[in-house]
Amino acid sequence: MNEIQKNNTTSVSSYGSDAIQVLEGLEAVRKRPGMYIGDTSDGTGLHHLVFEVVDNSIDEALAGYANQINVTIYPDNSISVVDNGRGIPTDVKLDDKHEPKRSAAEIALTELHAGGKFNQNSYKVSGGLHGVGVSCVNALSSWLKLIVRRNGKEHCLVFEKGVLQNRLVETVSTGEGNIEISPMKILGETNKQGTEVHFLPDAEIFGDVNFHYEVLSKRLRELSFLNNGVNIHLTDLRAGKEEIFEFSGGVKGFVEFINRDKTHIHPKTFYVNKTIDINSTEKIAVEASMQWTDSYSENFLAFTNNIPQKDGGTHVTGLRSAMTDVLKKYIETNGLSKKEKFDLSGEDVREGLTCVLSLKMPEPKFSSQTKDKLVSSEARPAVESVVRHGLEEYLQENPADAKIICQKIIDAARAREAARKARENTRRKGILDGAGLPGKLADCSERDRSLCEVFLVEGDSAGGSAKQGRDRKFQAILPLRGKVLNVEKARVEKLLASEQITTLITALGTNIGEDFNIDKLRYNRIIIMTDADVDGAHIRTLLLTLFYRQMPQLVEQGHIYIAQPPLYKVSVSDKNSSYLKDDKELDEFLLNIGIKGTKLYLSSEDLNNEVALEGEELKKLFLEYNDAQNVVSRLSRRIDHNVLTAIASGAQINFDSDETIRDSIQQLENALNRSDITFEIVKDSLGIPVILVKRLHYGNEIVTRIPASFVSSGDYLCLTNVAKTFKGLVKSGAVIIRTKGEKEFKKNISNFSEALAWIIKEAESSIKMQRYKGLGEMNADQLAETTMDPSKRRLLKVRIEDLVAADQTFTQLMGDEVEPRKRFIEDNALNAGNIDT
């Protein structure tokens, strides 16, 4: 018997009844989280936790009991969702089989398939269907705190990894005798009502817990449009960002918001909102809006009970079928395409279309718990009927709009036919059929696609260095000469006429547009490697536009990366060189050199007594102070630099009451002692106080804001900690001394900033430093070591976290309209850095 047979025999003999496990309660969620919330490694599942809680609050709004939702990200990456709905029921459920009898809130948070949405008495329409949402959040959190404000009381439960902490047990008398109950802890009385869920996702499950503001803002923006009258406030205390979503207009307003920077070709947006009876007791509400623009890409968003379906479903099929049939019939009936010899397709109808479809229906059926695809069969005929009748009426009542839309469709069909002929022509020439790879491509020898990567390199010079420095086994190099065609302004036939693009398409092997096939991709990683200057950024943007518009699956499936070459090469000696990614790494490198042989005496008394700060203790202080300086530099674009410096020197801000705000302003005025800076207290749309800082600069008034959320941010905490550490630290007679060999260098200082500046200057004088602007400045060995070696390089993975925002950004930067691009530059000019001069 060989080894494999022995192992198999052992496995069979050990497979008995003991091998069958039953996972109780929330244990199953922690064991297999992906089954309930999606991928836990790429951020999808992490953000899904928030959406599950927010959806519960939205369901309260749909039921007519809530109109305010606050979502807050805290510096520790915990997150809270607060609404003003009815509050989760807090009374004890006596028919609960658990001993002791528990509150309804505890059951909802600890039992799978427990909730108030299995019948239609509490919620006619809801996004939560399976009763596993908030219980999954509880199971997958390091801790969760539930506060329910209901019936004049504030109730609380605290959980750790799904387990209730400090359970209360009471004995009550009933008709069946004495029973033990486990009520919620009462914190006190309140005149508010609603539910607050505050939780920290478990790092054991998700690894690095880091919420992305853009992902959350995208979802909350959608919910605001889909639910008129609901005010949603998102606050990020980590960076002091906040946004209020209070959009109106329903899906029509949503479409017009998406197209605000695009050129829409017809003035009146199509909109329909109708409810269909599917039986004697159940109804489906269909709301849809469509508007065509002069662009060439489709933007389609579909929702069921406010839940997005990125994979579509029966409702999307119904809408597209009705839309295509109605528009084709209108074109044929009105003789608008008599001279054309081609058939119109659904793709032609949808070119340049922005569409939002929202369905409200009882108990929809989805393909999975993540609800990415609707499978309810009754949805298709309902949507098809509503859209068909609505669109027919729209075309009849708006003949001018109808003619423009139909002409757009005919032009799209004509362009599709031209593109087909162009593809046939390129196939005859063997350009895109994979028969031959482009001559510029230095291919790799590995045939397993999952191991291969291709570098798209700017210019032949850098391409030559990359070819010499690569690992030929799995790394391919494709040099790109000049600027790539801006595909935002071009149809497929023009793309296929571009040598640069056909070379790239052939190298990747996927083709583009309707012929795109992800299975033919030849490289698992496509790495854009351009210079760190304006031209390099432009080429990078053009390539990203090409991938996003013509090969979106490459972005969606995580195949696109951006190389991160180092900014600096520093040498302490001819044989000892280091590469540094950015300014932060450079600062730490200089500090490591500068503190060697350095002693800081904080006063003349310390000098006399030879009591000095040195080594790691001194480095820690320097880094803390430098971090605060970086915070001031970064925030100065939003909050006046002088005010931030005043906070770092000890002025404190408190928004607890009008009196504490006035006291805060007094502290700032005392610290600044400047007549050109004044303060004013105003309130935002939610009634939350904001301090306005007004400063005169060459006769112009510059106004910045200090929101209440800033006081809870990590940046404010950093500045106040620096104030506590360094205020009064440096006293009279302070001196910093650095010994280098037999020489001693000394500097008298009056504050810590002087000490840091002197140390940095001393370190810079002892090294050679080179700042790279272009890849061509590196030889093959340097390029390989810093940017291509998988064990040392840094790659930035391209992800689309907000499709609406991404679409808007590409339209602003790469579209024909000048005004949106000008506005983008004006809005972001202060945030720009490292711009070539």
Side-chain angles (χ1 to χ4, degrees):
M1 184 180 294
N2 62 34
E3 193 64 32
I4 294 177
Q5 290 173 320
K6 288 180 182 178
N7 289 338
N8 286 339
T9 303
T10 304
S11 299
V12 172
S13 62
S14 62
Y15 183 60
S17 60
D18 292 341
I20 305 300
Q21 292 180 293
V22 178
L23 299 178
E24 303 257 347
L26 301 184
E27 187 183 355
V29 182
R30 292 187 61 83
K31 190 74 173 177
R32 296 287 184 267
M35 175 180 174
Y36 299 89
I37 63 165
D39 197 333
T40 58
S41 62
D42 66 353
T44 304
L46 178 67
H47 293 87
H48 190 78
L49 297 184
V50 185
F51 302 151
E52 288 285 3
V53 181
V54 171
D55 288 344
N56 287 340
S57 297
I58 288 292
D59 288 341
E60 278 290 282
L62 286 173
Y65 296 102
N67 61 9
Q68 177 68 48
I69 302 171
N70 295 333
V71 181
T72 306
I73 313 171
Y74 292 86
D76 63 351
N77 264 298
S78 66
I79 197 161
S80 69
V81 180
V82 184
D83 66 51
N84 64 346
R86 291 169 291 183
I88 298 176
T90 59
D91 50 311
V92 173
K93 190 172 175 63
L94 293 179
D95 61 351
D96 174 27
K97 295 181 175 57
H98 191 280
E99 297 294 342
K101 311 299 182 184
R102 302 169 296 169
S103 65
E106 181 184 343
I107 293 173
L109 264 74
T110 56
E111 298 290 337
L112 295 179
H113 310 294
K117 299 165 188 175
F118 294 112
N119 62 63
Q120 295 182 36
N121 296 326
S122 301
Y123 297 92
K124 296 294 182 185
V125 171
S126 74
L129 303 169
H130 308 141
V132 300
V134 74
S135 54
C136 284
V137 176
N138 190 22
L140 300 176
S141 297
S142 292
W143 55 262
L144 181 146
K145 184 177 183 180
L146 171 69
I147 295 178
V148 179
R149 301 173 180 94
R150 186 180 171 103
N151 300 327
K153 303 287 186 184
E154 191 169 84
H155 309 260
C156 178
L157 290 175
V158 177
F159 300 86
E160 290 184 7
K161 298 183 179 180
V163 179
L164 178 64
Q165 304 299 300
N166 301 321
R167 177 183 295 279
L168 294 177
V169 179
E170 299 176 1
T171 302
V172 297
S173 298
T174 67
E176 300 178 357
N178 293 337
I179 62 171
E180 287 188 337
I181 65 171
S182 176
M184 296 184 72
K185 182 180 180 180
I186 297 178
L187 299 179
E189 296 184 354
T190 181
N191 59 359
K192 299 179 180 180
Q193 68 175 30
T195 303
E196 176 178 346
V197 179
H198 188 184
F199 64 97
L200 175 66
D202 193 347
E204 292 181 13
I205 303 293
F206 298 98
D208 180 28
V209 176
N210 184 26
F211 287 106
H212 294 278
Y213 183 89
E214 292 75 14
V215 176
L216 298 177
S217 65
K218 164 189 175 288
R219 177 64 180 142
L220 298 182
R221 185 196 309 119
E222 292 173 351
L223 291 171
S224 178
F225 274 116
L226 298 173
N227 301 275
N228 283 327
V230 180
N231 184 297
I232 305 175
H233 190 184
L234 173 62
T235 305
D236 187 348
L237 298 180
R238 302 168 304 179
K241 291 195 290 187
E242 62 180 335
E243 206 165 348
I244 297 171
F245 302 96
E246 197 174 14
F247 296 111
S248 60
V251 301
K252 181 182 177 184
F254 201 176
V255 166
E256 291 171 349
F257 172 83
I258 294 170
N259 287 344
R260 67 194 184 281
D261 288 331
K262 297 182 179 181
T263 303
H264 47 81
I265 60 174
H266 57 107
K268 190 172 182 180
T269 304
F270 167 76
Y271 175 73
V272 65
N273 188 359
K274 190 175 181 181
T275 300
I276 296 289
D277 294 327
I278 53 178
N279 55 46
S280 58
T281 59
E282 296 181 329
K283 303 175 185 295
I284 294 181
V286 180
E287 187 180 10
S289 183
M290 293 184 281
Q291 187 180 49
W292 278 261
T293 70
D294 66 351
S295 66
Y296 306 125
S297 57
E298 175 191 7
N299 199 340
F300 198 114
L301 301 175
F303 304 87
T304 304
N305 295 357
N306 296 314
I307 308 298
Q309 283 79 57
K310 66 178 182 180
D311 296 332
T314 51
H315 53 339
V316 174
T317 303
L319 183 143
R320 286 179 170 170
S321 174
M323 177 178 62
T324 303
D325 289 347
V326 169
L327 285 167
K328 285 179 66 175
K329 183 178 178 182
Y330 186 89
I331 290 171
E332 292 169 3
T333 303
N334 290 273
L336 299 178
S337 60
K338 289 180 179 179
K339 298 179 181 179
E340 309 296 342
K341 297 181 180 180
F342 45 76
D343 293 328
L344 299 175
S345 69
E347 181 187 352
D348 303 327
V349 171
R350 298 192 300 272
E351 183 184 275
L353 171 67
T354 298
C355 178
V356 177
L357 170 64
S358 175
L359 221 62
K360 302 285 174 63
M361 63 182 296
E363 301 187 9
K365 302 177 186 66
F366 299 101
S367 60
S368 67
Q369 166 62 16
T370 53
K371 306 167 189 172
D372 289 335
K373 185 176 183 179
L374 181 70
V375 296
S376 298
S377 58
E378 63 270 27
R380 175 171 179 170
V383 173
E384 199 164 355
S385 173
V386 170
V387 172
R388 183 180 298 278
H389 289 105
L391 191 55
E392 286 174 348
E393 289 182 6
Y394 171 86
L395 295 174
Q396 294 298 330
E397 294 173 2
N398 302 278
D401 293 71
K403 186 176 181 180
I404 295 171
I405 293 169
C406 292
Q407 188 58 54
K408 166 77 171 177
I409 294 169
I410 294 169
D411 289 344
R414 190 180 295 117
R416 176 172 56 83
E417 182 66 13
R420 182 186 64 79
K421 292 178 179 178
R423 273 192 291 268
E424 288 180 355
N425 186 43
T426 55
R427 287 193 186 103
R428 282 197 300 271
K429 294 178 179 179
I431 297 175
L432 296 178
D433 60 5
L437 293 174
K440 290 184 178 181
L441 175 69
D443 203 8
C444 55
S445 59
E446 177 63 60
R447 298 278 74 91
D448 183 351
R449 185 188 82 176
S450 65
L451 302 177
C452 298
E453 58 190 34
V454 60
F455 287 85
L456 309 182
V457 184
E458 174 189 353
D460 291 333
S461 175
S465 296
K467 288 177 183 178
Q468 294 176 42
R470 68 179 175 136
D471 185 326
R472 295 172 181 269
K473 178 174 175 56
F474 68 95
Q475 291 180 325
I477 306 296
L478 179 63
L480 298 174
R481 187 172 56 192
K483 302 289 176 65
V484 179
L485 177 71
N486 181 4
V487 303
E488 188 75 14
K489 306 174 183 178
R491 280 195 169 103
V492 173
E493 68 272 18
K494 191 173 181 181
L495 268 62
L496 296 176
S498 166
E499 181 184 353
Q500 288 278 57
I501 290 181
T502 54
T503 297
L504 177 58
I505 295 170
T506 308
L508 298 182
T510 59
N511 217 311
I512 59 171
E514 63 181 25
D515 293 328
F516 180 87
N517 186 349
I518 191 72
D519 295 331
K520 292 186 177 181
L521 179 65
R522 301 182 64 247
Y523 308 97
N524 189 50
R525 285 178 296 277
I526 303 164
I527 304 169
I528 302 172
M529 191 162 69
T530 60
D531 292 345
D533 58 12
V534 172
D535 284 339
H538 189 197
I539 293 171
R540 187 162 59 244
T541 306
L542 288 166
L543 287 170
L544 290 174
T545 306
L546 170 65
F547 292 133
Y548 180 72
R549 292 302 191 196
Q550 293 295 331
M551 310 177 190
Q553 296 94 325
L554 294 180
V555 181
E556 292 166 4
Q557 297 185 24
H559 293 290
I560 308 298
Y561 295 81
I562 297 174
Q564 299 283 281
L567 274 182
Y568 299 100
K569 177 187 178 183
V570 290
S571 305
V572 179
S573 64
D574 292 338
K575 296 182 179 179
N576 186 9
S577 299
S578 300
Y579 298 95
L580 306 176
K581 175 191 173 186
D582 51 27
D583 291 328
K584 185 176 181 180
E585 285 193 3
L586 176 64
D587 289 342
E588 188 163 354
F589 180 84
L590 293 173
L591 283 176
N592 284 330
I593 293 176
I595 63 169
K596 290 179 180 178
T598 299
K599 294 182 180 181
L600 174 60
Y601 298 91
L602 297 172
S603 66
S604 56
E605 183 179 349
D606 285 351
L607 180 60
N608 293 333
N609 296 326
E610 295 188 2
V611 177
L613 293 173
E614 57 184 318
E616 286 301 315
E617 185 180 13
L618 182 59
K619 178 185 174 183
K620 183 180 178 182
L621 278 178
F622 278 134
L623 286 174
E624 184 179 351
Y625 192 86
N626 194 59
D627 285 345
Q629 286 189 326
N630 290 334
V631 167
V632 170
S633 176
R634 173 166 48 82
L635 292 184
S636 293
R637 302 178 180 114
R638 293 188 289 112
I639 299 175
D640 190 274
H641 175 274
N642 302 283
V643 171
L644 295 169
T645 304
I647 296 171
S649 64
Q652 295 188 352
I653 301 176
N654 190 319
F655 280 89
D656 287 345
S657 66
D658 291 343
E659 183 179 350
T660 59
I661 296 174
R662 287 192 293 270
D663 178 65
S664 300
I665 290 176
Q666 187 63 55
Q667 288 191 48
L668 290 171
E669 288 176 339
N670 293 340
L672 293 170
N673 192 26
R674 290 177 55 164
S675 59
D676 62 331
I677 297 180
T678 59
F679 300 89
E680 181 183 345
I681 304 172
V682 298
K683 291 190 176 180
D684 63 17
S685 61
L686 293 178
I688 300 173
V690 176
I691 298 175
L692 295 185
V693 184
K694 300 180 179 180
R695 176 167 61 90
L696 288 176
H697 185 67
Y698 295 116
N700 297 316
E701 186 178 65
I702 300 173
V703 181
T704 58
R705 302 167 68 252
I706 307 177
S709 58
F710 172 62
V711 177
S712 302
S713 70
D715 289 332
Y716 178 79
L717 183 63
C718 174
L719 297 180
T720 54
N721 285 340
V722 162
K724 293 174 185 176
T725 302
F726 293 94
K727 189 174 183 179
L729 183 66
V730 177
K731 300 179 177 63
S732 176
V735 64
I736 187 167
I737 300 174
R738 185 169 187 241
T739 304
K740 190 176 180 182
E742 297 181 355
K743 294 182 179 180
E744 185 177 272
F745 303 87
K746 181 186 294 186
K747 166 116 177 130
N748 295 318
I749 59 170
S750 58
N751 56 60
F752 204 81
S753 180
E754 291 180 7
L756 178 60
W758 188 77
I759 281 288
I760 295 295
K761 186 176 180 181
E762 282 287 303
E764 287 178 339
S765 66
S766 62
I767 65 169
K768 292 180 181 179
M769 182 168 63
Q770 179 183 1
R771 189 187 188 282
Y772 294 115
K773 283 186 64 178
L775 299 173
E777 296 179 19
M778 297 183 185
N779 59 38
D781 292 339
Q782 291 174 331
L783 192 59
E785 182 182 358
T786 62
T787 316
M788 301 179 70
D789 184 346
S791 65
K792 298 178 181 178
R793 72 188 181 192
R794 291 181 174 95
L795 294 180
L796 184 64
K797 191 172 187 176
V798 177
R799 298 172 53 174
I800 300 297
E801 296 174 336
D802 184 344
L803 289 173
V804 173
D807 181 77
Q808 178 199 0
T809 300
F810 280 111
T811 299
Q812 284 179 328
L813 297 181
M814 312 305 291
D816 286 322
E817 293 296 310
V818 175
E819 188 58 35
R821 187 154 50 249
K822 178 183 176 183
R823 188 170 64 247
F824 178 88
I825 293 170
E826 290 173 346
D827 291 344
N828 293 277
L830 291 177
N831 296 325
N834 297 327
I835 295 179
D836 292 344
T837 56

